Amino acid sequence: MSMCNDDCKATVVEYERKISELKDQLRKKDRELQKKDRELQKVNFEHTILPNNQSVLIKYKGILKDIIIPNEIDGFPITYIDHNVFAGSKFTNITIPNSVGQIGGNAFGRNQLTNIKIPNSVTYIGKCAFSYNKLTNIQISNSVSELKYGVFMNNELTNIQIPNSVTCICSNAFCNNKLTNIQIPNSV
């Protein structure tokens, strides 16, 4: 009886070791595939290099609807997203990297975005940048000082908390939403 138990325990231990090895191999493969996916996504972006060795994202050539904007392309950090780059492309999700400091006018307009997080690196957002989406949730950068004309108009926002960094809210910034609560800081 004890021999059977010892054999069974040894077999179980061996199976657990093999399962652990397989899990490690799958995790490694997953990391490799994620890295390749990020590299392939970079191919879908056109950019121009500024004299200060920073990069402006000027065009998206891909077909994906869930986009992760890279921090850099060819070693040059993406610091500006140009006007209209993603406009009218029916995107459902976009991740903006911390390298971005400025977002041009209508950059993400006329898509199907439901939420957006604007990183604290962003100091400027152009007019109508996120207009005509399906936004229900936004997180505005603590570095933005002005909400330009129509920046979030024609969305489905119900609740907005404007950060203390904002000193000016231009006309129609939140026009045609479903607002029930808006928190405006004393800085405005």
Side-chain angles (χ1 to χ4, degrees):
M1 187 117 170
S2 130
M3 187 171 170
C4 180
N5 283 338
D6 289 343
D7 287 344
C8 289
K9 286 179 185 177
T11 302
V12 167
V13 167
E14 180 62 19
Y15 281 134
E16 287 175 346
R17 186 186 63 75
K18 287 182 180 182
I19 288 171
S20 179
E21 285 176 8
L22 287 172
K23 284 181 179 179
D24 287 343
Q25 290 172 2
L26 286 172
R27 279 192 285 273
K28 182 179 177 186
K29 191 58 131 175
D30 186 51
R31 283 191 301 272
E32 289 171 5
L33 288 173
Q34 286 178 9
K35 182 178 177 185
K36 285 181 183 179
D37 185 48
R38 285 191 299 274
E39 293 301 316
L40 285 173
Q41 277 205 23
K42 287 182 184 182
V43 172
N44 291 324
F45 296 99
E46 283 185 23
H47 67 111
T48 188
I49 301 165
L50 301 173
N52 61 0
N53 288 330
Q54 295 180 352
S55 185
V56 176
L57 194 59
I58 59 171
K59 186 175 182 180
Y60 177 72
K61 304 177 291 185
I63 60 170
L64 299 174
K65 300 301 177 199
D66 187 350
I67 304 299
I68 298 173
I69 299 171
N71 281 317
E72 55 83 21
I73 297 176
D74 299 330
F76 297 97
I78 302 294
T79 57
Y80 183 76
I81 298 172
D82 206 2
H83 303 280
N84 300 309
V85 172
F86 298 101
S89 299
K90 300 199 182 344
F91 293 118
T92 55
N93 188 35
I94 294 180
T95 302
I96 302 170
N98 288 326
S99 61
V100 172
Q102 298 182 29
I103 298 172
N106 200 39
F108 299 100
R110 299 182 322 276
N111 279 291
Q112 296 175 6
L113 301 173
T114 56
N115 64 67
I116 193 79
K117 181 179 184 232
I118 301 166
N120 285 331
S121 58
V122 174
T123 59
Y124 174 86
I125 304 172
K127 67 179 185 175
C128 300
F130 296 95
S131 62
Y132 294 93
N133 275 283
K134 296 180 179 181
L135 291 172
T136 58
N137 185 27
I138 56 172
Q139 290 181 7
I140 302 171
S141 164
N142 288 324
S143 303
V144 171
S145 62
E146 184 176 0
L147 296 176
K148 297 286 187 184
Y149 171 87
V151 68
F152 295 107
M153 74 177 176
N154 293 313
N155 278 285
E156 298 177 11
L157 297 168
T158 58
N159 184 21
I160 298 171
Q161 183 172 353
I162 297 171
N164 289 328
S165 61
V166 174
T167 58
C168 178
I169 301 173
C170 295
S171 66
N172 295 326
F174 299 102
C175 172
N176 294 328
N177 275 280
K178 298 177 179 179
L179 292 174
T180 57
N181 184 28
I182 186 165
Q183 295 177 2
I184 301 173
N186 292 331
S187 58
V188 176

